[in-house]
Amino acid sequence: MIYVETRAYLLGILLSWIMVFVIFFSLYHDQKKINVKTITASVVLLFICAIVDGLADDWSFLLLIVGIYLIFDHHFKLNYFLLDAVLISSITIYIVDIVMSAIVMMFVHTQNTQGWGFTLISSAIEWTLAIIVIFLYQKFDLVGFINKTIKSPVMTLLLTYFFFVLSFFMTCIDHLQAYRKLIIGILLFVVIQIIVLLLIFLIEAKRQKSLYQQQLSEEQFKNLKMYTDQLERDQLSLRKFKHDYGNLLLSLRTVADSDSDNALIDSLNKFESYSNDYFSNVSMKLYKDINNVKNPYLKSLFISKLNQINNAKIDCKFECRDTVDDISINVFDLVRLLGIAIDNAIEATKKQEHGKIQLAIITENNQITFIIDNTVITPEKVSSLSQTGYSTKKNHSGLGLSNVQDIKKKYPNLLVQYSEDSDWFHLQLVLI
């Protein structure tokens, strides 16, 4: 064991806890929930955790997890993303502290009580390691990985297991005062646990992807059936119209022979109204270009969204003049991108009295452009819309357009362009 002078030890504890919160906020940056109130509460929690750590180390991280959850989300429905972020922060500081201790013990062999110099050097090593870990988290998009698994509690359960096992293991070693003797064993234990967790995470991510693809296939079948049913209904209506067409013409001819201009005009107006009812059916108006979308997953998505828009009584125009089949990026990522963008457009327009949405697919010079435009009441700042956590929807996670940016990072041939004016918000996804 290395003994440290009390005041220097307390300073080291405080610096470590500041690091814990820095790691947490590098993962959790929900702009909707981070405000003066929650920041103030977090600072208070930081000092409380530091004090409890000095008095009863075993309970400090449990207090952190409960405190963070109560500050940022106290609803009955579990927020897996928040739990994962605070668990990863706690585990990270444990591992950083273990590695720092291993480094320090290689140079400190005396049993004398250490002072301020030891605390400052060990804290500097700890902070350097933490900054490297934060960089790696951002480099490998840990936040994006967490977002992919938040629908399942598996990752949260695994992190909880790792946290409690690591905490129990370290507590036993502290009580036995065998830290120096077992440091190699501790590092080996941590490495093995991390490898096992990574393997389980990869298996779970693969399972989630498979489930998503299965769900997408089921949704595709349902949407194509809905499209086919609508075409059949419109075909029956046109048959009926064709059957009645001869009788309508005969009626008009009789009125014309009677030389009654007013009666003829009145009959023509009725005939025009009657015809419009049949020629403005859903399949001819809404799905008129959908046949040019040859990719089954894209076709399914647009059928679903167009039907959703139509049911919401939103004025919509869809255009796809050229055949669209081959896609240069993963089609599931593209479906997710377009789904997010169109859902945002629907959400923005469904409460407008005269809301409009315009969807278009343009193919030109081996380049495909997806256009999603919608009317707006109050234009939002484009920079705000792409922040994680920002949302104009009440009680919404706000991960919409920020997820678009996360997926965009995977494909250098994908361009995402936002623009806005006084009445419209414009979004273009361009595949080069």
Side-chain angles (χ1 to χ4, degrees):
M1 291 289 290
I2 297 176
Y3 297 96
V4 184
E5 194 269 328
T6 301
R7 288 179 296 175
Y9 173 71
L10 293 176
L11 175 63
I13 288 177
L14 181 61
L15 291 174
S16 294
W17 277 102
I18 292 173
M19 190 193 312
V20 173
F21 279 82
V22 169
I23 296 170
F24 170 73
F25 283 111
S26 72
L27 297 173
Y28 187 81
H29 30 79
D30 187 340
Q31 299 298 323
K32 185 179 178 181
K33 294 183 179 179
I34 297 178
N35 49 49
V36 176
K37 182 180 177 181
T38 54
I39 291 294
T40 303
S42 298
V43 172
V44 173
L45 179 64
L46 186 155
F47 283 101
I48 292 174
C49 287
I51 293 170
V52 173
D53 193 0
L55 299 174
D57 179 45
D58 298 347
W59 297 97
S60 56
F61 281 101
L62 187 59
L63 176 64
L64 168 72
I65 295 171
V66 174
I68 286 290
Y69 198 87
L70 291 176
I71 290 172
F72 289 97
D73 197 332
H74 47 272
H75 297 113
F76 290 107
K77 186 178 180 180
L78 286 176
N79 185 334
Y80 292 124
F81 184 87
L82 178 59
L83 287 172
D84 291 347
V86 69
L87 284 168
I88 290 172
S89 304
S90 302
I91 292 170
T92 301
I93 197 63
Y94 260 129
I95 296 173
V96 165
D97 189 54
I98 291 170
V99 176
M100 180 274 294
S101 298
I103 295 172
V104 169
M105 283 184 178
M106 290 190 296
F107 301 98
V108 179
H109 302 287
T110 178
Q111 295 295 322
N112 295 333
T113 302
Q114 304 297 318
W116 296 98
F118 173 84
T119 296
L120 292 176
I121 291 172
S122 59
S123 294
I125 295 172
E126 209 170 23
W127 273 89
T128 302
L129 292 171
I131 291 170
I132 292 172
V133 170
I134 291 172
F135 171 77
L136 292 174
Y137 285 166
Q138 294 177 347
K139 175 73 174 176
F140 293 100
D141 192 21
L142 180 63
V143 172
F145 179 78
I146 297 173
N147 281 329
K148 292 178 181 178
T149 60
I150 55 176
K151 292 183 179 180
S152 170
V154 173
M155 184 173 180
T156 304
L157 291 173
L158 288 172
L159 289 171
T160 303
Y161 154 78
F162 189 27
F163 169 75
F164 279 109
V165 168
L166 192 59
S167 178
F168 176 77
F169 193 62
M170 295 302 297
T171 300
C172 290
I173 290 174
D174 284 340
H175 285 304
L176 294 173
Q177 297 187 353
Y179 202 93
R180 186 184 293 272
K181 295 179 181 179
L182 297 176
I183 189 65
I184 301 299
I186 295 169
L187 288 173
L188 184 61
F189 166 78
V190 170
V191 169
I192 292 173
Q193 288 291 311
I194 290 174
I195 291 173
V196 171
L197 282 176
L198 284 175
L199 289 174
I200 296 174
F201 287 161
L202 290 174
I203 293 171
E204 175 63 15
K206 187 176 180 180
R207 188 182 74 87
Q208 289 289 329
K209 183 178 180 181
S210 177
L211 287 174
Y212 175 70
Q213 292 178 354
Q214 181 181 350
Q215 182 183 4
L216 205 58
S217 298
E218 292 174 355
E219 188 73 16
Q220 175 193 355
F221 176 78
K222 184 181 74 173
N223 291 331
L224 289 176
K225 185 178 185 303
M226 178 177 63
Y227 175 56
T228 304
D229 291 343
Q230 183 63 53
L231 288 177
E232 288 179 356
R233 287 194 295 270
D234 292 340
Q235 181 66 24
L236 289 174
S237 295
L238 287 174
R239 277 187 186 177
K240 183 176 183 297
F241 176 72
K242 181 180 179 181
H243 179 266
D244 295 339
Y245 194 74
N247 293 331
L248 290 167
L249 285 177
L250 180 61
S251 176
L252 285 173
R253 187 182 300 278
T254 302
V255 173
D257 291 341
S258 69
D259 294 330
S260 175
D261 292 340
N262 291 335
L264 178 60
I265 292 171
D266 184 56
S267 295
L268 285 172
N269 288 337
K270 290 180 180 178
F271 181 67
E272 182 181 17
S273 176
Y274 182 80
S275 301
N276 288 339
D277 288 340
Y278 285 92
F279 287 124
S280 62
N281 58 53
V282 174
S283 59
M284 294 183 70
K285 180 182 178 182
L286 204 58
Y287 303 133
K288 63 176 183 177
D289 286 343
I290 204 71
N291 193 51
N292 288 329
V293 184
K294 300 300 182 183
N295 185 285
Y297 295 104
L298 287 180
K299 176 178 282 190
S300 173
L301 173 74
F302 278 103
I303 290 171
S304 174
K305 296 305 177 185
L306 288 170
N307 187 66
Q308 187 178 345
I309 292 169
N310 185 62
N311 290 337
K313 309 298 182 184
I314 299 171
D315 185 10
C316 178
K317 292 182 180 179
F318 172 73
E319 182 177 305
C320 180
R321 300 292 177 83
D322 302 307
T323 300
V324 176
D325 192 359
D326 296 329
I327 304 298
S328 58
I329 67 172
N330 186 300
V331 69
F332 298 110
D333 280 337
L334 181 59
V335 166
R336 188 175 173 214
L337 282 171
L338 293 170
I340 291 169
I342 297 173
D343 283 342
N344 284 344
I346 294 172
E347 188 68 28
T349 54
K350 68 181 183 180
K351 294 182 180 179
Q352 298 177 25
E353 187 175 354
H354 302 291
K356 295 181 180 179
I357 295 176
Q358 295 181 350
L359 307 176
I361 307 175
I362 300 173
T363 304
E364 186 178 11
N365 298 327
N366 296 322
Q367 176 177 299
I368 302 177
T369 302
F370 297 89
I371 299 174
I372 300 99
D373 297 340
N374 62 269
T375 53
V376 293
I377 299 175
T378 304
E380 301 290 342
K381 291 184 179 179
V382 172
S383 59
S384 297
L385 285 168
S386 58
Q387 291 177 354
T388 301
Y390 183 88
S391 176
T392 57
K393 294 177 261 187
K394 186 178 180 182
N395 297 326
H396 191 265
S397 62
L399 296 174
L401 294 185
S402 68
N403 276 351
V404 171
Q405 294 294 335
D406 290 338
I407 298 174
K408 176 182 176 293
K409 295 175 184 176
K410 296 167 58 177
Y411 302 102
N413 62 324
L414 171 64
L415 301 178
V416 181
Q417 300 173 335
Y418 307 101
S419 62
E420 58 187 352
D421 51 44
S422 58
D423 297 317
W424 287 84
F425 177 78
H426 309 277
L427 172 63
Q428 291 189 1
L429 303 177
V430 185
L431 294 177
I432 301 174

